[in-house]
Every structure is written in C-alpha cells, then in structure tokens.
C-alpha cells in the first residue's frame, strides 16, 4: 500500500454556502444558481456543473468581500462563528 498525502488547500463550497446563504430550501446547484441569478445550462454534465459552481463561488466571494472578509483565514473564522457544530450533518 502506498501512503498518499493530500497537501492542497481546498474550500468546501457546500459548507460555505450553508454559512453564507439564507432563505433557500436547500443548497443544491440549481437552487443556488437561482439564488445568485446564474444561468444554468446542461445541468448534470460535469464540465457545466463545475462552471456553474465556479460562478456561484464568485458570487459568494463577492458577498464575503462586502462583509469585509478578504482572505481564507477570515472566511474560516466567519464560517465557524455562523455554524453550530451540533447541527452539522455527518
């Protein structure tokens, strides 16, 4: 067995959307595209879904910037302040 290490930085966009977006029934891609007014085309095609998620992530970053959050450390702190660990899904 080969040991592999994951050393890349990543952002969980689902948890980010849960901490940043209020008033939606769920956090599915089609729901978030409607919320952020992003046009959804060819849903469920990997490349198109990735492009839509990138556009949604851009919208979330703009919202974070308006809240004065400019870097990943601030984003993590903001998310932790808005998230109740007892209510997180496993």
């Amino acid at each position: 067995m080969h040991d592999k290490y994951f050393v890349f930085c990543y952002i969980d966009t689902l948890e980010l959307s849960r901490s940043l977006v209020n008033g939606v029934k769920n956090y599915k891609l089609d729901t978030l595209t409607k919320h952020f007014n992003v046009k959804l085309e060819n849903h469920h095609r990997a490349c198109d879904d990735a492009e839509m998620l990138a556009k949604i992530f851009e919208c979330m970053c703009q919202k974070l910037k308006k809240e004065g959050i400019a870097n990943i450390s601030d984003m993590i702190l903001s998310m932790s302040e808005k998230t109740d660990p007892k209510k997180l899904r496993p």
Side-chain angles (χ1 to χ4, degrees), residues 28-47:
K28 295 180 180 179
L29 188 61
D30 56 341
T31 304
L32 293 174
T33 56
K34 289 176 187 173
H35 177 79
F36 286 111
N37 200 28
V38 173
K39 189 174 180 182
L40 180 63
E41 295 181 19
N42 298 321
H43 188 33
H44 297 299
R45 295 187 55 95
C47 289

Side-chain angles (χ1 to χ4, degrees), residues 56-68:
I56 290 168
F57 182 68
E58 263 184 48
C59 294
M60 290 191 291
C61 286
Q62 290 172 6
K63 187 171 181 175
L64 288 167
K65 188 174 180 180
K66 287 178 184 175
E67 293 180 8

Side-chain angles (χ1 to χ4, degrees), residues 10-90:
Y10 68 93
I11 296 171
D12 185 338
T13 54
L14 176 59
E15 289 305 320
L16 178 61
S17 66
R18 285 180 177 159
S19 71
L20 193 61
V21 178
N22 298 315
V24 294
K25 63 181 178 179
N26 58 46
Y27 296 92
K28 295 180 180 179
L29 188 61
D30 56 341
T31 304
L32 293 174
T33 56
K34 289 176 187 173
H35 177 79
F36 286 111
N37 200 28
V38 173
K39 189 174 180 182
L40 180 63
E41 295 181 19
N42 298 321
H43 188 33
H44 297 299
R45 295 187 55 95
C47 289
D48 296 314
D49 284 1
E51 183 179 351
M52 291 304 104
L53 183 56
K55 290 178 181 180
I56 290 168
F57 182 68
E58 263 184 48
C59 294
M60 290 191 291
C61 286
Q62 290 172 6
K63 187 171 181 175
L64 288 167
K65 188 174 180 180
K66 287 178 184 175
E67 293 180 8
I69 298 168
N71 58 51
I72 292 176
S73 296
D74 291 344
M75 182 182 3
I76 292 169
L77 180 61
S78 173
M79 288 174 66
S80 68
E81 290 173 350
K82 295 177 184 178
T83 303
D84 181 355
K86 295 178 184 174
K87 295 181 181 178
L88 288 177
R89 291 177 162 171

